[in-house]
Amino acid sequence: MSEKRIIPIVMPKWGLSMEEGKVTSWLMKDGDQVKVGDQILEVETDKIAGAVEASDAGILRRRIGQADTIYPIKTLIGVVADADVPDSDIDEFVSSYVVPAAEEGEDETGPRYDFIDTAAGRLRYIKRGTADNIVLLIHGFGGDLDNWLFNADAFAEKATVYALDLPGHGQSTKTLGDPTVAGLARAVLGFMDAVKVDKAHLVGHSLGGAIAIEIARTNKNRVKSLNLISTAGLGPDINMDFIGGFVAAASRRDLKPVLENLFADGSLVSRQMVDDLLKYKRLDGVGDALAALKDGVFAGGQQATNLSAALKSSGVPALVIWGAQDKIIPVQHAKAAAGAKVEIIEGAGHMVQMEQAGKINSLIKAMVGG
Amino acid sequence: MARKISIRQALNEALDQEMARDPTVFVMGEDIVGGMGGDGDKDAWGGVLGVTKGLYAKYGDRLLDTPLSESAYIGAAVGAAACGMRPVAELMFIDFMGVCFDEIFNQAAKFKYMFGGKAETPVVIRTMIGGGFRAAAQHSQVLTPLFTHIPGLKVVVPSNAYDAKGLLIQSIRDNDPVIFCEHKNLYGHESDVPQESYTIPFGEANVVREGKHVTIVTYGMMVHRALDAAALLAKDKVECEVIDLRTLSPIDWDTVLESVENTGRLVCVDEAHPRCSIASDVSAKVSQEAFKALKAGIQMVTAPHTPVPFSPALEDLYLPSAEKIASAARKTMAN
């Protein structure tokens, strides 16, 4: 009877810095039928709140994690099993559960991020997974590779995932040779050369989406597919109050209301999220880099580069995802994505990949295969 | 930000990066090189607690060991600043500041005002504060309120390594005289610090813990005691908001007032003596500006109005503890 399936639900690890999370509430109750991808409970970290989704189907048999309680990552917080698994087996499973040891490379003292010298300067990146199929994640204006907190590990189940900090962002060089979509596209191609990636599925968010289309325009042989989330490059409109406010804000008080525009649910902007962005903005060179990008990419208060024709003519398979409540780039721009599969996500603003991570992960996983 | 370093290392890195960036930055003080000056190993000591270790080998004569005459070299630093240099003077203990009050209070703090804004004095005076080091009454004081009293001076007190680096770089780049206070019991305290240079603006407090019941306002080593108190109180479901002022001049009233408007309760914690302290200053401001928000009388937890005792047992009693802070917070919760 050892074949009976008992599936642990554990405190997830969202991103490199997460060490513990708080169970905020259970969305299902004992005995509920669970399908793959169902949201089972909500967890809050010091960075953001999110839902834990089912990786396997079954019946929710035990809710172990208590609401408003903090657990270290990988702690057993629930059990899913088939209906015919006896309670005694589940008791046995719970009482004998051992939190797995840290995997190689997870060591707290070991390197969490990598750096590589490219034509555009020194860039920070992460690499997850070992498959031949490669997925490259490109963040947007003012973002960094942690914007893929809820996505990178999901994609890495069946692919090798790279996520980089663009020049001027995160912990990459703060020097921007050419602060335009074309210049950043050349920087990303240089990164692909440096890490010896010939061809990849590109996943781009916002400005990162425009960069991905530009790469497909100039080097379509290096692009397997385009996965564009709330992408720039498909129309002129851009919320310049957000861009200007983001560049100018120097304090938590100024930055927080600006960041709230990124989400359908502004309460997702945590103190830690604001602090992390302030820490980035205080670095020498960041102010100049962001101002140069604002003038280069959004010259004259609108998007300087329209790539909708290039998207169509590239012939590269494309998926366009948009948050229905996007306050930064209007969802109407999705109409300009001729030939692409378009998905509009309710309950999400501009940061769709954070706010509705589960949906985005399954849409993109279907696109990039494995 | 995977790299954890100590406050000592963070200060060293700030000095190193600013000396590399700006040739007008130089460092002077007692024993900051290691005695007589010289090559190689001669700088092994790097100041009484090792903050300037290794810099002499890199920057040579831009580190000056001074005679034991604070009034002379603080005066020299103030004069050099008025002439376009950016000196960082290390005045070992804040307790010794008294012998150069004229240079600081009447010269450095007054130049910009008295010369109609035409003179600037970008001098940083680094100095150690605080008790718990068994260093007796003349080496353990927290004299921060003396300096916040003087218009024209900026007063900075980091509580962690991230703030220490960003605030010291800001202090060096700032065009006004800055009294930069380092707590001698915190030099080994570690936190995540970016390798790159960055600045933290003056006058922006850090909310180090959010809570809705009681606001605790403090700075320096007491930030850590306040966090310990908040952890104790959390067990009783009392949620404290802990505010680290980071800079005492300028001071971030907005963050303090906003917090008290949310919680309605205030505990001011200060390692300085109670009279005319940062704690009494914050209490007065909140009484003036947010009286209607208060649900209970303001509590202060400070050192007593006595010299710092040399007896370790007495010194431990002298310093505000997490238990004393928690007990003060409970008093505000009582009504």
Side-chain angles (χ1 to χ4, degrees), chain A residues 40-277:
Chain A
I40 302 177
L41 74 157
E42 285 187 325
V43 163
E44 189 179 283
T45 75
D46 53 8
K47 291 203 193 298
I48 198 168
V52 177
E53 294 171 355
S55 57
D56 295 87
I59 307 269
L60 180 59
R61 298 290 295 271
R62 284 279 196 289
R63 291 175 295 172
I64 300 165
Q66 302 287 316
D68 284 331
T69 308
I70 291 170
Y71 298 93
I73 54 163
K74 298 183 190 170
T75 308
L76 186 69
I77 51 177
V79 176
V80 169
D82 290 336
D84 56 348
V85 177
D87 276 341
S88 58
D89 284 15
I90 290 183
D91 291 339
E92 166 69 18
F93 180 83
V94 171
S95 61
S96 62
Y97 188 82
V98 180
V99 174
E103 289 164 31
E104 198 156 338
E106 270 188 345
D107 182 359
E108 284 300 308
T109 59
R112 295 165 163 189
Y113 299 103
D114 291 307
F115 288 87
I116 194 158
D117 291 312
T118 73
R122 192 169 162 79
L123 302 183
R124 182 179 71 149
Y125 70 102
I126 54 166
K127 182 186 177 189
R128 298 279 174 271
T130 52
D132 292 335
N133 192 28
I134 297 196
V135 177
L136 172 59
L137 312 179
I138 311 168
H139 65 76
F141 176 82
D144 67 19
L145 54 81
D146 279 335
N147 290 166
W148 307 106
L149 206 61
F150 301 125
N151 319 103
D153 289 334
F155 300 150
E157 286 166 17
K158 289 186 174 173
T160 296
V161 174
Y162 288 90
L164 81 161
D165 286 343
L166 291 168
H169 292 79
Q171 291 178 35
S172 288
T173 174
K174 300 304 178 292
T175 308
L176 279 172
D178 177 5
T180 64
V181 170
L184 290 169
R186 280 194 298 279
V188 175
L189 283 163
F191 171 78
M192 290 170 73
D193 293 340
V195 294
K196 299 189 171 57
V197 168
D198 180 50
K199 198 166 181 178
H201 295 280
L202 302 184
V203 180
H205 174 244
S206 196
L207 175 61
I211 294 167
I213 306 172
E214 173 68 10
I215 292 171
R217 187 182 73 82
T218 57
N219 289 265
K220 90 182 226 194
N221 58 326
R222 303 191 67 172
V223 183
K224 288 187 184 168
S225 72
L226 287 170
N227 302 270
L228 310 170
I229 305 169
S230 300
T231 190
L234 298 183
D237 309 301
I238 176 74
N239 181 345
M240 285 309 286
D241 288 344
F242 169 79
I243 300 290
F246 185 87
V247 173
S251 69
R252 186 202 315 249
R253 207 171 294 108
D254 294 338
L255 188 57
K256 190 161 189 278
V258 172
L259 297 181
E260 283 167 357
N261 285 309
L262 287 168
F263 297 89
D265 175 5
S267 70
L268 287 174
V269 177
S270 66
R271 186 176 65 88
Q272 188 68 39
M273 189 188 294
V274 180
D275 276 354
D276 285 351
L277 269 166

